[in-house]
Amino acid sequence: MNTYRFSNLLGATYRGGSVEFTPDGNTLLSPVGNRVSAVDLVQGRCVTLGPENREDIKILALSPDAHLLLSIDRTGHALLVNFVRGAILTRINFKGLVQSARWSPDGKWLAVTKQRRLSIWRAPTLRLGWQFVQHRTFGGHHDDVLELAWAPNSLFLASCSRDMSVRLWSINPMESFEPIALVEHRSPVRGVFFSADMKYLYSMSRQGFLVSLRYDLKEDGQEEEHGSAPLYCRPGEWVIASKARCNQPHPQKVMKCAFDAGANLLAAGFDGGLFMLFEMPGMQALQTLSLGTEPLDVVTLGAGGDWLAVGSAALGQLLVWEWRSETYVLKQQGHHWGVQCVAFSPAGPPSLKREKTLSTMEARPEDRGSLAGRLLATGGYDGKVKLFNSQSGLCFVTFAEHTAPVTALCFTPQGNAVLSASKDGSVRAFDLLRYRNFRTFASPDGLCQFAGLAVDGGGEIVAASSLGGQYAIYVWSIQTGNVLEVLTAHTSYVQSLQFSPSTTHPGQLVTAGWDSAVRVWDLYLGANKGGAAETLQCPSSVLSVAFDPRGNDQCACSCLTGQILFWNVCEGRNLGSIDGLRDIQSGRQWHDRFASSHMKGIAPGQGLGKKKGSDGVNLNQHFSSISYARGGELLLCGSRNSPQVCLYDTSSYALTLRLTLTRNESLSGVKVMLNSKNMTEAGVSWQEFDLSESEVEDAETTRWQRRLRDDKVLPGVNVGEAKDMYSERELHVWNVAFSADSQQFAAATTHGVFVYSADIGLGTPSTAGHIYGSDMGRFAPQLLTRNVSAPAVLKALEAGDMSRAMILALALNDYGLLRQVYEAVPVKTVPVVVASIGSPLLPALLWFLSLEIRPVTGTPHFQFHVTWIEALIDLHFNTLLEMASGRARTGSALEAAAASRSDVAALCLQLLVELSQRHAAMVKTFSSNLYLLKYLSVAPHESAPGEETELRDPVATAVAEEIEGEIEAEIEEEIEEASAVLETKALKGTKLKRKRQRAALAESVDELKHPIDTAKAATPRSSKMRRKTSRA
């Protein structure tokens, strides 16, 4: 069974919420809807964790050891996640809006602010069953507590509130400690911070005023008595050290601020798009930068104060700024108002396999020249076309030539260009080598908009369908840009079109329109090319069409009735159909007054008494986009008003898998049932009202943003910049697409592109493990019995039984233990060890080798890895073929289970991809240094005193010595025989004959000695320079 799991979320905009740096400062965590996105700023990777909160995430808190991640949504529901593995440990409801949450520096406590109270919780541990245990609750503020800060010793913490006060607390009651309250501010306090030595306490208000408190110890002669007591428990007093104000423009107010105690740096973000960096305690301005006119919702310092993360929800932008070099480390911005279309690149051309660097984030050796089939293009309502690397998850190119929404995308078959159709009346072609718009296509009159787009199999012509007018399909030549044909036969809007992949019908084009017809054109047939179209009549309007990639002249089309029809376009015959009405399960919008279930109009308990089969079924459902897998055995279907996508088997026309893209209750159209607790007394859902003003920290800024937004809203518009706040929260699935190898598929929605990857059945670890913590924490046992344990593996390793140790390590499938055994196997015994591995453990070995070859997670012993792969293919090639075809070699249940759990073909393909990437990364180095390597291999070298002058290959030396011994023995026998002959004939021959015989004997001896000299010359001898080269 084909299964897929969530892999990544691309193109989503930043919608607010706190961001966090990992302790090493290399990874940035940010909320993306109800999920968490992790960006590796060093390796240039971005992944999205699988766990989902109920609603949009507001607060993120990462423990100091980076093992536990707490994510809290806007309603107070929280998830405790194992960050490295991406597994949910526990859930908790704080029953209210949480303003801030911080872990203590020692990781033993968690502080959470809710309304006017501050709660201290014990850190969840395995001993506590990962449950939260409340320790203490503090109350003293008269308004909501906005921020808090821990002291470096984890014994004290400070909080600031809207009541313009700052308070100091202790975890436990301490002798001689007195809580204090600072009331020097005249506006709500935005942040409070401790210095590294705990002598200073800084606080910044909304107006930009900074107050520094200093704790002065009293000299009472009892220092020895109070020597072990904490600082604030010693006799002393708090004094105001200084007051300062940010020199920001007058209207701007502080939204967020952050402090790095190690570097003594303070960063502040303002509501006018300005952020400033100060050096403490003198508050000297180091840098000022403007990011526009929208408020900054988050400011965070990381990497020892060198990097500054700034985010704006209004702009949908999150960036990381390195203030010392004044450069951007990360600058990512998603599509405004959602993603309209998505497309995967085909197998890459030679031009994409060059060493061209895509961007600073993509300049890693393992990613250079390895973008074949991994490009993902997205088009949005903002008129931009973005290119993503589906493995790294980052956007590296943005094309902004379109001035209207992008409606369709497609790659050329060679993969060297991407084409986009837009409502601005143009079809543009972008070069993927130079990243420029090299061709623009338009209609002859220039008065139509384009909806559908397709490119033929040869990459020579492009066709696009128009909106309105004659509902024509325009055909252009990509090389010249001239219009070749205008096809007019449809009587209504043509929404989808596609060329046939069959080599026997290269110019066959299928178009689908709202006139309930699918028309088949042959552009290369007849004198007038297009000729008359053959019509395939459908029961209702056709929304999407897709050709079977196997080239069997079959196509699938989705209709407005919820059906998917399969046609043979050459014979005009209907092959079958899928009724997907009961599989779609559309979500209920907030303004709906009834549930979207299939029991509408049926009384409880009367389900079996239906008169017709369609009674109770929501007939207003359909698949708006369909896409074939590369093998043609799966059909991916997505519906506009459903958060679910369906996978169908094209041979049995049965539902194989149904996946839910998101369960975010902050979006309209996700829930199915109607819940009366979310409705007012008048029967209106309270989710339709904009209640954000009561949840934000600055009501004036929110009112100002709302006024600007209301000025742009137009009645009846639910897409783009002129839509209202309610339409912005609706979830719609616009387009779906399969990757070239069918290992991934993507769904373009109003809130980003959801990418799913094939589940190969080997316990694939969390995606966060690839960028933080590596894969060392992965543990997915394949065969777990009493004898399969870590001590048994180590015992076999100590005893020198490498085959047993490797088999037990593969069965246990612990990455760290498996690598230890793997590196301990001698090179000579690799074929023996590989031969002893049974077929049930071969998928685990393939997965492990693919990870070892990868530069990020593996080791640099490339020749050692290749030796293992070569032995695996030589010894188990037939077994892998049988497992890939779904057959067990011996028919045992164990092998059948192993073959069913894992996709052996996908594992072999992944191993091939990793090998190709490493080869592409090394080929440039070897090709550019080819003559240097040849010179070093033959160049003479004078040995230093005491150094060996020769280095012989032991195998070649042994062979040469053996040959030399055999030849010397043969020479001695020949000499003895010749001497005996000479002695018997000495009396009969003359002196001249004796000389001739001796000359002939000498020639025979030279001929026998020649192989010895040849063997000696063939023995490799290297100098010290050659030994260094071979080691490198």
Side-chain angles (χ1 to χ4, degrees):
M1 178 180 177
N2 301 88
T3 58
Y4 291 82
R5 65 169 62 191
F6 176 78
S7 175
N8 212 342
L9 179 59
L10 309 178
T13 57
Y14 172 74
R15 296 292 182 181
S18 63
V19 299
E20 286 281 336
F21 278 98
T22 52
D24 59 1
N26 295 334
T27 305
L28 178 68
L29 305 180
S30 62
V32 182
N34 64 335
R35 285 186 168 100
V36 180
S37 176
V39 182
D40 190 344
L41 302 174
V42 177
Q43 298 293 336
R45 296 175 181 268
C46 177
V47 297
T48 305
L49 305 186
E52 291 185 81
N53 284 75
R54 289 193 177 187
E55 296 189 11
D56 289 345
I57 296 176
K58 178 180 175 60
I59 302 295
L60 289 178
L62 185 66
S63 61
D65 57 359
H67 288 168
L68 300 179
L69 175 64
L70 181 70
S71 59
I72 309 174
D73 61 20
R74 299 184 183 276
T75 59
H77 293 85
L79 295 180
L80 183 66
V81 180
N82 185 329
F83 175 58
V84 177
R85 291 186 58 86
I88 300 176
L89 300 177
T90 187
R91 305 171 187 265
I92 185 174
N93 183 9
F94 291 107
K95 300 180 181 180
L97 179 64
V98 177
Q99 296 289 352
S100 180
R102 302 282 182 185
W103 295 89
S104 61
D106 58 3
K108 297 181 179 179
W109 306 96
L110 174 67
V112 178
T113 64
K114 184 186 68 173
Q115 297 177 354
R116 296 179 297 175
R117 295 186 178 276
L118 172 64
S119 301
I120 307 297
W121 303 76
R122 295 185 184 274
T125 59
L126 181 61
R127 184 177 61 86
L128 298 175
W130 303 111
Q131 298 300 315
F132 287 86
V133 178
Q134 190 170 3
H135 179 63
R136 292 186 70 184
T137 301
F138 300 102
H141 288 285
H142 301 287
D143 207 339
D144 293 343
V145 181
L146 301 180
E147 267 295 345
L148 58 91
W150 283 92
N153 59 4
S154 301
L155 297 178
F156 306 95
L157 71 160
S159 60
C160 59
S161 172
R162 280 201 182 100
D163 61 2
M164 300 176 290
S165 66
V166 176
R167 294 181 178 270
L168 182 66
W169 318 89
S170 64
I171 297 286
N172 299 306
M174 296 183 180
E175 186 179 356
S176 302
F177 173 76
E178 297 181 359
I180 66 165
L182 174 67
V183 292
E184 290 293 328
H185 292 286
R186 297 296 178 265
S187 61
V189 185
R190 293 301 193 194
V192 57
F193 318 101
F194 285 94
S195 61
D197 55 2
M198 294 176 54
K199 292 184 179 180
Y200 288 91
L201 182 65
Y202 307 110
S203 59
M204 176 170 283
S205 67
R206 178 169 166 264
Q207 299 295 337
F209 286 94
L210 179 72
V211 176
S212 299
L213 284 180
R214 185 179 68 247
Y215 189 75
D216 294 337
L217 295 175
K218 294 181 179 179
E219 298 180 0
D220 54 358
Q222 299 180 358
E223 288 79 3
E224 296 181 359
E225 181 180 353
H226 302 287
S228 59
L231 177 63
Y232 300 149
C233 295
R234 303 178 190 178
E237 61 178 357
W238 289 94
V239 296
I240 298 178
S242 62
K243 292 183 180 180
R245 183 182 181 276
C246 302
N247 293 324
Q248 79 274 17
H250 175 67
Q252 299 198 19
K253 301 171 184 177
V254 178
M255 295 292 294
K256 288 289 183 179
C257 52
F259 179 72
D260 187 275
N264 281 328
L265 294 177
L266 176 67
F270 298 89
D271 60 357
L274 185 75
F275 76 84
M276 304 179 70
L277 190 65
F278 304 94
E279 185 178 7
M280 303 301 292
M283 202 175 178
Q284 301 175 357
L286 298 179
Q287 211 169 71
T288 302
L289 186 65
S290 178
L291 299 179
T293 59
E294 299 295 339
L296 301 181
D297 297 279
V298 64
V299 175
T300 304
L301 285 167
D306 293 335
W307 290 351
L308 178 68
V310 182
S312 174
L315 294 175
Q317 190 175 41
L318 183 66
L319 59 90
V320 178
W321 173 261
E322 187 176 7
W323 64 273
R324 297 185 187 275
S325 60
E326 297 185 359
T327 57
Y328 287 106
V329 179
L330 173 72
K331 189 176 182 182
Q332 290 288 305
Q333 188 176 18
H335 287 281
H336 283 287
W337 315 302
V339 182
Q340 170 73 3
C341 48
V342 62
F344 278 96
S345 66
S351 60
L352 287 181
K353 295 181 180 178
R354 297 175 184 175
E355 59 277 1
K356 183 177 179 61
T357 302
L358 299 177
S359 67
T360 56
M361 286 299 180
E362 296 292 325
R364 294 172 288 118
E366 64 270 19
D367 279 347
R368 293 178 183 174
S370 59
L371 288 176
R374 297 196 292 120
L375 282 181
L376 181 70
T378 60
Y381 283 100
D382 53 2
K384 296 179 181 178
V385 176
K386 293 180 178 289
L387 293 181
F388 291 85
N389 186 333
S390 61
Q391 287 193 357
S392 68
L394 291 178
C395 171
F396 58 91
V397 173
T398 300
F399 302 108
E401 280 77 6
H402 286 294
T403 58
V406 179
T407 56
L409 286 173
C410 66
F411 283 87
T412 57
Q414 298 80 12
N416 55 3
V418 60
L419 293 93
S420 61
S422 173
K423 290 185 178 181
D424 61 359
S426 67
V427 174
R428 297 180 182 270
F430 302 96
D431 185 7
L432 298 185
L433 185 61
R434 300 175 180 85
Y435 303 112
R436 61 183 181 87
N437 178 207
F438 70 93
R439 192 80 70 214
T440 301
F441 310 97
S443 61
D445 53 6
L447 300 177
C448 65
Q449 299 174 328
F450 295 106
L453 185 66
V455 178
D456 73 324
E460 299 176 355
I461 59 176
V462 56
S465 60
S466 61
L467 290 170
Q470 299 180 353
Y471 305 109
I473 295 97
Y474 295 89
V475 182
W476 298 274
S477 171
I478 295 181
Q479 294 183 353
T480 62
N482 298 329
V483 177
L484 301 179
E485 191 75 19
V486 179
L487 309 177
T488 56
H490 285 278
T491 59
S492 184
Y493 167 51
V494 180
Q495 186 166 344
S496 178
L497 68 161
Q498 191 173 12
F499 278 94
S500 172
S502 175
T503 56
T504 58
H505 304 90
Q508 194 175 63
L509 176 67
V510 170
T511 59
W514 286 8
D515 54 359
S516 304
V518 174
R519 303 188 185 275
V520 184
W521 312 79
D522 197 336
L523 302 182
Y524 298 154
L525 182 64
N528 56 349
K529 295 183 180 179
E534 182 180 354
T535 303
L536 305 177
Q537 197 64 35
C538 297
S540 61
S541 300
V542 185
L543 305 176
S544 181
V545 66
F547 257 108
D548 193 326
R550 292 173 289 190
N552 52 9
D553 297 327
Q554 295 182 11
C555 76
C557 58
S558 80
C559 302
L560 197 62
T561 57
Q563 292 180 325
I564 300 176
L565 302 179
F566 295 87
W567 296 89
N568 187 316
V569 294
C570 291
E571 301 177 0
R573 180 167 52 92
N574 187 6
L575 304 176
S577 64
I578 295 175
D579 190 359
L581 280 176
R582 291 173 176 81
D583 301 331
I584 296 175
Q585 195 61 67
S586 298
R588 183 187 63 84
Q589 302 295 335
W590 288 339
H591 56 72
D592 293 340
R593 299 298 185 264
F594 48 83
S596 63
S597 62
H598 293 319
M599 301 303 294
K600 183 180 66 173
I602 299 179
Q606 301 296 325
L608 298 177
K610 297 187 294 183
K611 297 181 180 180
K612 296 186 298 183
S614 61
D615 288 349
V617 179
N618 186 3
L619 300 179
N620 191 23
Q621 300 179 119
H622 53 268
F623 291 114
S624 56
S625 178
I626 59 176
S627 176
Y628 266 102
R630 181 177 180 84
E633 71 280 357
L634 289 178
L635 182 67
L636 177 64
C637 306
S639 176
R640 177 181 182 272
N641 295 322
S642 175
Q644 299 173 345
V645 292
C646 300
L647 281 169
Y648 289 97
D649 187 354
T650 56
S651 59
S652 61
Y653 304 128
L655 179 66
T656 301
L657 185 65
R658 184 169 61 182
L659 298 170
T660 302
L661 299 178
T662 181
R663 293 180 175 85
N664 189 0
E665 297 181 10
S666 298
L667 304 179
S668 175
V670 174
K671 303 291 288 185
V672 175
M673 302 304 296
L674 182 66
N675 196 339
S676 59
K677 75 175 184 179
N678 296 330
M679 303 181 67
T680 63
E681 296 179 355
V684 181
S685 175
W686 59 265
Q687 295 168 321
E688 296 186 43
F689 302 99
D690 187 9
L691 305 177
S692 59
E693 181 177 333
S694 61
E695 299 178 358
V696 297
E697 300 175 4
D698 198 330
E700 295 181 4
T701 304
T702 305
R703 295 192 192 98
W704 174 68
Q705 291 178 344
R706 185 184 300 175
R707 286 195 298 268
L708 293 180
R709 183 63 182 270
D710 292 342
D711 292 341
K712 300 178 181 179
V713 172
L714 296 176
V717 177
N718 55 6
V719 172
E721 186 178 6
K723 65 182 179 182
D724 56 6
M725 293 293 293
Y726 173 77
S727 300
E728 186 178 356
R729 306 303 300 169
E730 291 182 353
L731 176 68
H732 297 294
V733 180
W734 299 113
N735 191 229
V736 293
F738 255 112
S739 63
D741 55 359
S742 300
Q743 295 301 306
Q744 289 183 328
F745 73 82
T749 69
T750 52
H751 293 80
V753 179
F754 292 84
V755 180
Y756 281 75
S757 300
D759 186 3
I760 58 178
L762 289 176
T764 306
S766 165
T767 49
H770 294 288
I771 64 173
Y772 192 85
S774 183
D775 285 329
M776 300 302 293
R778 184 172 71 91
F779 175 69
Q782 301 298 298
L783 301 173
L784 195 58
T785 62
R786 181 181 299 179
N787 298 326
V788 179
S789 61
V793 177
L794 297 176
K795 183 178 179 180
L797 188 61
E798 293 177 358
D801 192 353
M802 296 300 173
S803 298
R804 177 179 174 81
M806 194 65 188
I807 292 174
L808 293 177
L810 287 172
L812 194 62
N813 203 15
D814 181 75
Y815 192 88
L817 194 61
L818 189 56
R819 174 180 283 184
Q820 183 179 353
V821 177
Y822 175 76
E823 294 184 346
V825 177
V827 179
K828 295 182 180 180
T829 61
V830 168
V832 179
V833 174
V834 173
S836 64
I837 299 174
S839 57
L841 299 177
L842 291 181
L845 181 59
L846 288 171
W847 176 250
F848 174 75
L849 290 176
S850 64
L851 291 179
E852 284 297 295
I853 294 177
R854 189 178 303 169
V856 178
T857 59
T859 57
H861 310 143
F862 184 70
Q863 185 177 0
F864 186 64
H865 304 327
V866 173
T867 304
W868 275 84
I869 297 172
E870 183 179 3
L872 176 63
I873 295 176
D874 291 341
L875 298 173
H876 297 285
F877 181 74
N878 294 330
T879 305
L880 293 175
L881 286 179
E882 293 177 357
M883 294 180 67
S885 62
R887 302 190 307 269
R889 190 168 187 178
T890 61
S892 63
L894 191 61
E895 294 186 3
S900 63
R901 285 199 312 265
S902 59
D903 190 351
V904 177
L907 289 172
C908 295
L909 180 61
Q910 181 178 356
L911 186 61
L912 177 62
V913 170
E914 297 296 340
L915 280 172
S916 302
Q917 293 179 8
R918 290 298 301 272
H919 176 266
M922 293 187 299
V923 68
K924 178 184 177 182
T925 303
F926 284 100
S927 60
S928 59
N929 296 281
L930 179 62
Y931 297 103
L932 178 60
L933 293 174
K934 287 183 178 180
Y935 171 77
L936 294 177
S937 63
V938 299
H941 174 67
E942 296 182 0
S943 303
E947 183 182 1
E948 296 182 1
T949 58
E950 295 182 355
L951 180 63
R952 294 175 178 266
D953 188 0
V955 178
T957 303
V959 173
E961 291 177 356
E962 184 178 357
I963 295 175
E964 184 177 357
E966 294 178 356
I967 293 177
E968 288 179 355
E970 292 179 359
I971 291 174
E972 291 178 358
E973 293 179 359
E974 292 287 341
I975 292 175
E976 291 178 358
E977 293 178 358
S979 300
V981 172
L982 289 175
E983 289 178 359
T984 55
K985 296 182 178 181
L987 299 176
K988 299 180 180 180
T990 59
K991 188 175 182 180
L992 181 60
K993 290 183 179 179
R994 292 177 181 176
K995 290 183 179 180
R996 291 178 179 176
Q997 290 175 354
R998 290 193 185 99
L1001 179 63
E1003 291 178 359
S1004 63
V1005 170
D1006 293 337
E1007 291 178 359
L1008 292 174
K1009 286 185 177 181
H1010 179 70
I1012 299 179
D1013 299 334
T1014 304
K1016 289 182 179 180
T1019 304
R1021 301 181 180 181
S1022 304
S1023 61
K1024 183 178 180 182
M1025 180 67 72
R1026 194 183 305 177
R1027 289 201 299 272
K1028 290 184 178 181
T1029 306
S1030 63
R1031 291 174 184 172

